[in-house]
Structures are given as structure tokens and as C-alpha cells.
């Protein structure tokens, strides 16, 4: 696990404010910019549940080091989701481990984006 990565919003176990939340993390190494982000209903990120798996440049996202669930693919209401990030290794480098797995719940009902 990568202990130098930590969730900012929502905090692990916290509540998201919408069905298209912005997930933000912090990294103790400011020279890292590219991250892979995974979001799933499955805490093991296996094939049993839909998976969001995106590459983001944390230096150009708003806020920095964040991922927003796309409005076209909102999360399910009143559900628990799991997410994690890892620095993206460029070229032929060996992928690094994922961060700890963090969780959040989505609001009940339709939820505003």
C-alpha cells in the first residue's frame, strides 16, 4: 500500500454530496502528476461490478489531484463505493501498488450532479 497517498474528499467512510462526486487525494510527493484512479462497488475491484478506471494528470484537474465521476455515468444512489489511486508509471516501467482502498456512500434519491 502507498501510505503517502491519502483521500481528501470525501474522507474514507464519508458521504459524497452527489452521484457525480469529485474524488480528491493528496500525495506527499509533489513531482508526481499522472495517476490511475479506480472506482467500484466491489472492494476488490474485480469483474463482479462496474469499474471506472481512468488516467488523470493531477496537475491540470480542478481541484488538483482529483477525478470527477462523469455526468453521463452517475453512480447509483444510496450505495457504497470504493476507490483507490496509484501513480502512473511511464514507459515500460513496472506498475506500482495501489493506494489503500477508501470508501464513500452516495446520497439517496436522484442527487444533483
Amino acid at each position: 500500500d502507498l501510505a503517502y497517498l491519502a483521500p481528501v474528499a470525501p474522507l474514507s467512510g464519508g458521504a459524497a454530496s452527489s452521484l457525480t462526486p469529485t474524488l480528491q487525494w493528496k500525495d506527499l510527493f509533489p513531482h508526481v502528476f499522472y495517476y490511475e484512479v479506480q472506482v467500484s462497488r466491489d472492494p476488490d475491484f474485480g469483474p463482479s461490478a462496474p469499474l471506472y478506471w481512468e488516467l488523470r494528470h493531477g496537475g491540470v484537474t480542478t481541484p488538483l489531484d482529483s477525478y470527477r465521476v462523469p455526468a453521463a455515468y452517475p453512480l447509483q444512489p444510496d450505495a457504497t463505493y470504493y476507490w483507490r489511486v496509484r501513480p502512473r508509471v511511464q514507459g515500460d516501467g513496472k506498475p506500482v501498488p495501489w493506494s489503500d482502498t477508501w470508501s464513500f456512500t452516495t446520497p439517496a434519491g436522484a442527487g444533483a450532479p
Side-chain angles (χ1 to χ4, degrees), residues 18-40:
S18 76
L19 299 181
T20 56
T22 297
L23 308 178
Q24 185 181 14
W25 60 93
K26 64 180 175 180
D27 188 341
L28 295 179
F29 295 98
H31 62 280
V32 176
F33 293 104
Y34 283 97
Y35 296 91
E36 290 178 79
V37 181
Q38 288 186 336
V39 181
S40 179

Side-chain angles (χ1 to χ4, degrees), residues 39-89:
V39 181
S40 179
R41 295 276 317 266
D42 179 358
D44 296 320
F45 299 89
S48 66
L51 177 70
Y52 296 75
W53 191 340
E54 301 282 340
L55 176 64
R56 289 292 179 264
H57 185 300
V60 298
T61 57
T62 302
L64 296 178
D65 293 340
S66 69
Y67 167 70
R68 181 168 183 141
V69 172
Y73 304 103
L75 302 178
Q76 295 176 356
D78 197 25
T80 298
Y81 279 87
Y82 303 90
W83 65 293
R84 61 187 181 176
V85 299
R86 71 177 176 185
R88 173 67 177 253
V89 175

